[in-house]
Amino acid sequence: MQESLKEIFEFLHVQYVKAVEDKDYTKLLELGKQQIPSSLLNQKSVFAEKFFSLQGEIHSLFGDFKSMEEILIEGESYCLKSTLKDYYTNWVLNYFISFFSGLNNTRKKEYAERVLVLLIKAENYYQENYEKLGLASLKAFCYLIVGAEEKIVSVFSKTQFKPIPLNEFNDDNYQKFFFSHVFKGIAVSIELRDKNLLDNFLKVISIDDEVLYNEKDLFLKFQRTLHDLIDVREEAKVDFEMMFRHSDKIKSFFPNFNLFKNLLEKNDLKALQLFFASFN
């Protein structure tokens, strides 16, 4: 008897998790070639969305962004409207892997343009303020890569920089999308040396009013607020570590951020304070 689409996806997912844990790249390549029987693709399904998303992720892990794109374009037509939000988000994140890879800058710019198209598609599915702020952070990041810095102000003008309620900050069931991408927005503010934008982000994520309103040294305020954030929210910690670890791959687009990272590695407090004091 033919397997259901649900069974095919669940088997693929279990095998994928095991192959990643075992670092079995041969198995991953094999899984990336698995296809859904055409007889099961006669209707839209949540499991079709999950299957194509996972296949796209597998190919992106190997840097095969062309195959990833082909798979995800095919899968889009099988998505339920209710699953498109997750589908576009996963698609975007697969492209983001390319920015931190060894691809040349021309290709990275091409992929950033494609991400921006997807983010515009995804906008209709993100209605909550902090989700919009996370989406704006992704868009601003891509605008820097494509050299469209002038568009960043309008991106953030559509959001509200309101402090996240403490109960939502402390509960990892809330605001996962925002915390997964907040440091990309912060990186943009550092790259632009934009004090107002950085202060706005700090206002959203701060849980210490004493530091937020009374600390006059911008770097120390940033440092203490960021420490509290990554101590509580794992998503933000992962985002920070990814940006920090791979900053050399994007230094052509983010030279100021790369300078910040180098100073942080040297633990050069005086230079960091002077750097942040130069923000406008």
Side-chain angles (χ1 to χ4, degrees), residues 44 72-79 84 87-88 91 121:
K44 297 176 185 292
L72 294 175
I73 288 172
E74 178 186 1
E76 185 177 8
S77 61
Y78 298 109
C79 290
L84 279 172
Y87 195 74
Y88 290 141
W91 194 339
K121 282 185 176 184

Side-chain angles (χ1 to χ4, degrees), residues 64-186:
D64 186 358
F65 299 104
K66 184 175 184 297
S67 295
M68 177 208 80
E69 188 174 55
E70 291 171 352
I71 287 168
L72 294 175
I73 288 172
E74 178 186 1
E76 185 177 8
S77 61
Y78 298 109
C79 290
L80 296 167
K81 187 175 181 180
S82 61
T83 65
L84 279 172
K85 177 180 176 180
D86 290 338
Y87 195 74
Y88 290 141
T89 300
N90 290 332
W91 194 339
V92 163
L93 297 183
N94 285 333
Y95 270 133
F96 256 79
I97 294 174
S98 72
F99 303 151
F100 302 103
S101 72
L103 287 177
N104 62 52
N105 288 343
T106 300
R107 294 295 300 278
K108 289 178 182 179
K109 286 182 179 180
E110 289 175 4
Y111 287 138
E113 292 280 10
R114 294 175 193 180
V115 169
L116 286 165
V117 170
L118 287 170
L119 290 173
I120 290 170
K121 282 185 176 184
E123 278 180 336
N124 294 330
Y125 301 96
Y126 287 88
Q127 299 300 319
E128 193 270 338
N129 181 63
Y130 298 112
E131 287 188 337
K132 288 181 179 179
L133 192 49
L135 202 72
S137 296
L138 289 165
K139 288 179 75 173
F141 191 94
C142 290
Y143 277 134
L144 277 181
I145 291 178
V146 302
E149 178 184 323
E150 71 282 356
K151 294 185 178 181
I152 291 175
V153 173
S154 64
V155 166
F156 286 111
S157 68
K158 300 174 184 177
T159 62
Q160 296 181 19
F161 289 93
K162 300 186 298 184
I164 289 185
L166 189 59
N167 65 306
E168 295 187 14
F169 187 98
N170 289 323
D171 189 337
D172 60 12
N173 291 310
Y174 286 94
Q175 308 304 344
K176 287 180 175 293
F177 181 76
F178 168 74
F179 284 118
S180 294
H181 305 297
V182 62
F183 197 74
K184 297 179 184 71
I186 291 174

Side-chain angles (χ1 to χ4, degrees), residues 193-207:
R193 299 192 184 200
D194 189 327
K195 181 180 185 298
N196 184 58
L197 183 57
L198 179 57
D199 270 331
N200 279 335
F201 271 110
L202 297 182
K203 182 171 67 175
V204 174
I205 63 176
S206 176
I207 56 173

Side-chain angles (χ1 to χ4, degrees), residues 56-68:
E57 183 175 336
I58 290 171
H59 285 276
S60 70
L61 290 175
F62 286 98
D64 186 358
F65 299 104
K66 184 175 184 297
S67 295
M68 177 208 80

